[in-house]
Amino acid sequence: MKKEVIKLLRKPLKDLKVEMTDEQIEQAIDFPPSPELGDYAFPCFFLAAKLKMSPDEIALKIREKIGNFPETEFSDVQTQGPYVNFFLNRKSFARQVVWDVITQKKNYGRSSSGNKKKAVVEFSSPNIAKPFGVGHLRSTIIGNSIANIFEFSGYKVVRMNYLGDWGAQFGRLLAGYHKFGREKSLEKNPVDYLMKIYVKTTPKKYDVPAREWFKRMEDGDRKALMLWKLFKGYTMDDFKKMYKLLKIKFDVYEGESNYNKKARELLQELKEKGIVKKSRGAYVIDLEKYGLGTAMIEKSDGTTLYATRDLAAAIDRYKRYKFDKMVYEVGQEQKLYFMQLFKIMEILGYKWAKNCVHADHGLYLDKNGKRFRTRKGKTIFLRSIFDETLELAKKEIKKRDGKISKKALEDRALKTAIAAIFYGDLKNNRSNNSIFNLKKFVSFEGDTGPYILYSYARASSIIKKIAVTEKFQVYELEDKELELVKKLSQFPEVVISAQQSLNPSLIANYTYQLAQAFNEFYHVCRVIGSQQETFRLALVQSFRQTLKNSMALLGIEVLEKM
């Protein structure tokens, strides 16, 4: 309904010579603190300086210029001091919102704003030869949600997993395997064994052999590449099992190694164009005049860096996909790196560089507020996290249903565990650090994934008792009914905001608020057997559908029964 409010405000603002886009008007519109003051409010404080009038006078002028209003949408438009307050025709509003949801079903909230443009979303991107750690979990969860939101907004999405399968760390691993490695131990538990070897080689005394082995890789040494391919194969098998469990899918798997040759070709081009300069034996690009320091492109020993390969990858991706947007979902510690990367693309003359964006995320912290660190062997691995979450979920479910079958328990526990972990992350602004607290995540009370699943299951139990009909009559609405209808109506706007800001927490927080609104309605408003039965059943069905759509954007499946 905000669109209808915007329509009413356009002409009065234009008559007052106030230039505002629909988006700016929408951002100014607020919600009054109580229903007695209306359903939407337009504050006039910010116009006082421009119009040289008091905010109260401006509100009166705007109301005067609005004149008559469509009574099918609004019951009244009033001023209250510096505010223009809009009162909805609540019956008509409720009827329209509920009808939209139950007829549009899984498409409710979907938009065509993307207009079939192409978006490449790079996310997860774990490092080969290490177990899938919690450090890459945030990128996996947030990136998956961003991809879902883009798709729901009308984009053609390419989901890309850009694996860390090349670089100096592999020189360290090969040096370690050459010194400590045992073939039988590798075959028994490959990824965990490789991790132990990597940790053993962290002391400085292994720096020189690590560099030598990586140089051998870059030079195409047969033994080095044979071991590297073996380690990569073992790791990919492990990763894909985890992705399958989490129901995360990718359209493309590619690694840094794909761009080793192209990176060298690009490096030669940069040298020929004079874009790079030599510094202490290495090649760098001076970005000081942009306030971005210096970016190293080739080390003094002649080996390439992540940045060189990333530049080659970006150029190749544009050639392949002609993307309108490329999103890198990578940790915030890489913020300067991506600013440098995008600036170098601009310097090279690529106009599409402005369509590349870094969606950064904060860190997971342990219970002491410290970062998990792979180099000291302190990483918590996703498999162990998931197993622990499953056990916690099973205990909670058994408390509520002691007679549940083993198969049903496994299914519910799996979906509950995913909801707990995913929602526990996504409810936070992606740029903030987050304490990883599994017990809190799995709780069936409060702002958690299981609480939202339980709300959906509660609605499902009502619908199972009596069929929903598309023919319903709306009588006078109680406050909690109206609040639920309003919350349902906000979903399309929330999706657009989440897509524009690359911020899934807007969806997550909306989902929790929607569940709260439903539970408050459920406690106050009788559904079956009430005068409002047909409408309230349709309202419950609308809640279920909207919650399901919203949870799907977070990568979470709903449960019919908890």
Side-chain angles (χ1 to χ4, degrees), residues 123 131 233 345 404:
F123 63 103
M345 291 177 191
I404 188 171

Side-chain angles (χ1 to χ4, degrees), residues 75-91:
S75 62
D76 202 0
V77 180
Q78 302 175 358
T79 61
Q80 180 77 27
Y83 294 92
V84 183
N85 294 331
F86 299 83
F87 294 78
L88 297 173
N89 181 324
R90 293 176 177 180
K91 287 185 185 179

Side-chain angles (χ1 to χ4, degrees), residues 213-231:
W213 274 96
F214 181 53
K215 185 72 167 62
R216 287 174 65 174
M217 284 174 63
E218 290 233 308
D219 292 341
D221 179 82
R222 186 172 175 274
K223 183 179 179 180
L225 292 180
M226 183 181 70
L227 284 173
W228 167 77
K229 286 178 182 177
L230 181 67
F231 299 162

